[in-house]
Amino acid sequence: MSNLIVHGGTPLRGRITPSANKNAVLPVLCATLLTYEPLRLHGVPDITDVRKILDIFRTLGSDVHMDHETGTLELHHRETVFDASLHRLPEEMRSSIMLVPPLLARFGVARLEDNVKGCTLGVREIDPHVEVFQRFGGKVERTEGSLLVHSDGRLTPTDHWLDYASVTTTENFVLCAAAADGTSTLTNAASEPHVQEFCRFMSMIGVRIEGMGTSRVTVHGGGALKGGEFRFDEDFHEITTFLALGAITGGDVVVRNSAPDNFPLLDRTFAKFGVQITHEDGWSRAIRTGPLKVQTPFTSNVLTKVEAAPWPYFPVDLLPIFIALGVRAQGNAMFWNKVYDGALGWTGELSKFGAHVFSSDPHRLITFGGNPLTPAVVESPYIIRVAIALFMVAASIEGRSEIRNATPIRRAHPRFVENLRSLGVQVEWTSEE
């Protein structure tokens, strides 16, 4: 287990170039198995899940050349083999399930562990994925300790309507549709920026996709796929994280951002806590002219709200970051997680700093902000941006705090501590057995 030690109270100042979004990188890596042609990917982050997928590729016989210093990855899957009796996909990485469609397309079979998982964000069912595989003609059976998915020949095109706009299920549909002979359409598709980025990669290798960024996506599959070069955008989650770190510490952090079109709602959400975001010449900045303060709604007798749901709502993954701002801001605010059950259970740790929060129900939380806080030792669940939110609060308080079990940060943010040090924070990793 790895913990973060932070000596807080220092305003963060400086410039940051964020890494790519792991939620774009991981499905793109899975999609590379669809083509026999060489690929070069730029901006690939050095994070644990990327290393795990690359290890899988090496085990299967693919040519893998990763330069972690430059973030350049060269892949060639011409000699790749898969044996369902020998090879399994690791359960500790939820993105393993996106390797199923390309393995089906190439080898007619895939085997993965029975309980694929990622962060501890409530129940993460795989039924929607199983249904997608079956719609394309895949057969799914449960064996001892694993799921076996196989197909008799080529996948067949289909039209499908999701129960809810799931990111990973949408990507699995596109992967299957690319390998199917004909046209497939998905309704209630997820449209997050990382889904759009994944679809741009699919287009680059030769898949014709209509409706990118909308809730209805049409994929024309079955054609020969090519290789090429692709460069990842900066992760809007990491951009937001460093802007929020600058704001909560009263500093001045400027963050590289080549896609400010993703930010209007995020900008307005920052404004609810007295923070102005500017975008100029490919860089974004958080400006705070006074103390953090919850803005009073025009409608009387209601709380300022941050409602998180699938895009184009406010992104649910960023809710903890703004809960941290709410704890420090003068005034009261409600935070509403409309996606995951129990994802707000960690907020009891905020009371160790002296924060006042109230859980209305498993989906809603109220912060009563502006109270004096003191350093603390807190425990993070296995949720990436919860660990970061606890760190944010600690960084804003003068004195030594410890975020225990902060390991999940490494799943999404390479060089997180190095970036923080460049901004003036005294922070370090410690490990314990």
Side-chain angles (χ1 to χ4, degrees):
M1 182 170 67
S2 295
N3 307 326
L4 273 178
I5 307 295
V6 56
H7 296 268
T10 301
L12 276 67
R13 302 185 186 280
R15 286 183 174 244
I16 292 292
T17 299
S19 61
N21 187 338
K22 82 174 184 68
N23 292 326
V25 174
L26 298 179
V28 164
L29 290 180
C30 295
T32 63
L33 276 173
L34 288 171
T35 178
Y36 290 83
E37 300 301 319
L39 292 158
R40 181 179 289 116
L41 307 179
H42 300 279
V44 178
D46 184 11
I47 56 176
T48 52
D49 284 5
V50 166
R51 286 181 177 262
K52 288 174 183 177
I53 287 186
L54 297 185
D55 285 343
I56 292 172
F57 290 164
R58 293 185 182 102
T59 299
L60 300 182
S62 300
D63 290 332
V64 179
H65 300 281
M66 179 72 215
D67 185 335
H68 290 294
E69 288 299 315
T70 64
T72 300
L73 170 64
E74 295 187 9
L75 284 173
H76 202 173
H77 297 298
R78 57 187 167 185
E79 304 294 338
T80 306
V81 295
F82 181 81
D83 185 340
S85 66
L86 298 175
H87 302 133
R88 295 192 180 185
L89 311 179
E91 67 171 333
E92 70 272 8
M93 185 175 62
R94 185 167 178 79
S95 55
S96 291
I97 203 163
M98 289 183 290
L99 289 167
V100 171
L103 290 176
L104 280 179
R106 290 185 71 142
F107 308 107
V109 64
R111 182 187 293 272
L112 68 160
E113 299 301 317
D114 198 5
N115 184 27
V116 290
K117 57 190 177 183
C119 290
T120 52
L121 282 170
V123 177
R124 310 287 291 273
E125 62 179 349
I126 67 168
D127 291 69
H129 302 279
V130 170
E131 187 173 11
V132 164
F133 302 150
Q134 291 171 335
R135 296 280 296 188
F136 282 96
K139 298 177 177 60
V140 182
E141 57 183 276
R142 195 182 297 277
T143 61
E144 185 176 353
S146 65
L147 292 177
L148 184 67
V149 187
H150 57 91
S151 62
D152 300 324
R154 300 274 293 184
L155 298 180
T156 55
T158 188
D159 294 340
H160 189 44
W161 193 315
L162 292 179
D163 292 351
Y164 60 95
S166 162
V167 166
T168 313
T169 311
T170 297
E171 291 162 344
N172 258 339
F173 182 94
V174 174
L175 288 167
C176 288
D181 289 320
T183 299
S184 302
T185 299
L186 181 66
T187 302
N188 201 16
S191 59
E192 277 77 357
H194 36 282
V195 177
Q196 298 177 46
E197 192 168 5
F198 161 75
C199 288
R200 289 197 296 273
F201 171 81
M202 296 296 287
S203 296
M204 188 273 291
I205 63 172
V207 181
R208 187 157 67 92
I209 302 176
E210 300 170 10
M212 280 189 277
T214 75
S215 61
R216 187 176 176 86
V217 174
T218 299
V219 181
H220 304 277
L225 300 182
K226 58 186 181 180
E229 292 195 42
F230 186 81
R231 183 175 298 276
F232 290 102
D233 292 338
E234 301 92 358
D235 179 7
F236 73 96
H237 297 104
E238 190 166 334
I239 295 168
T240 305
T241 294
F242 280 106
L243 291 173
L245 275 162
I248 202 170
T249 62
D252 182 14
V253 176
V254 184
V255 189
R256 180 72 184 170
N257 182 4
S258 60
D261 289 349
N262 292 327
F263 276 75
L265 180 55
L266 290 169
D267 295 346
R268 283 170 36 220
T269 305
F270 269 112
K272 291 181 179 182
F273 300 92
V275 180
Q276 179 187 356
I277 305 297
T278 63
H279 307 284
E280 186 175 354
D281 298 329
W283 296 85
S284 298
R285 169 181 253 146
I287 299 172
R288 172 183 148 188
T289 56
L292 293 172
K293 185 176 181 180
V294 179
Q295 305 303 295
T296 304
F298 181 81
T299 304
S300 59
N301 302 318
V302 300
L303 286 170
T304 292
K305 290 186 295 183
V306 179
E307 300 183 37
W311 191 273
Y313 267 80
F314 178 88
V316 69
D317 286 347
L318 289 175
L319 198 63
I321 302 299
F322 283 81
I323 290 174
L325 287 176
V327 162
R328 294 303 271 152
Q330 298 172 11
N332 309 328
M334 175 184 286
F335 299 87
W336 194 350
N337 186 326
K338 295 184 173 182
V339 178
Y340 299 121
D341 292 320
L344 299 175
W346 63 275
T347 52
E349 293 296 303
L350 293 169
S351 64
K352 296 178 180 178
F353 293 113
H356 184 189
V357 298
F358 174 73
S359 295
S360 306
D361 55 47
H363 290 272
R364 290 181 296 176
L365 172 87
I366 298 173
T367 57
F368 301 87
N371 296 326
L373 303 184
T374 56
V377 177
V378 294
E379 183 86 23
S380 175
Y382 198 75
I383 303 174
I384 295 166
R385 267 158 285 276
V386 168
I388 292 175
L390 292 171
F391 174 85
M392 283 175 56
V393 176
S396 71
I397 304 168
E398 187 172 352
R400 181 188 186 278
S401 293
E402 181 176 351
I403 316 302
R404 298 173 61 84
N405 194 28
T407 307
I409 292 175
R410 299 184 184 194
R411 292 187 56 230
H413 300 294
R415 298 183 53 80
F416 184 69
V417 165
E418 292 84 352
N419 282 330
L420 290 170
R421 287 174 180 157
S422 75
L423 298 175
V425 181
Q426 187 179 347
V427 59
E428 61 183 312
W429 286 107
T430 65
S431 299
E432 62 180 45
E433 299 298 330

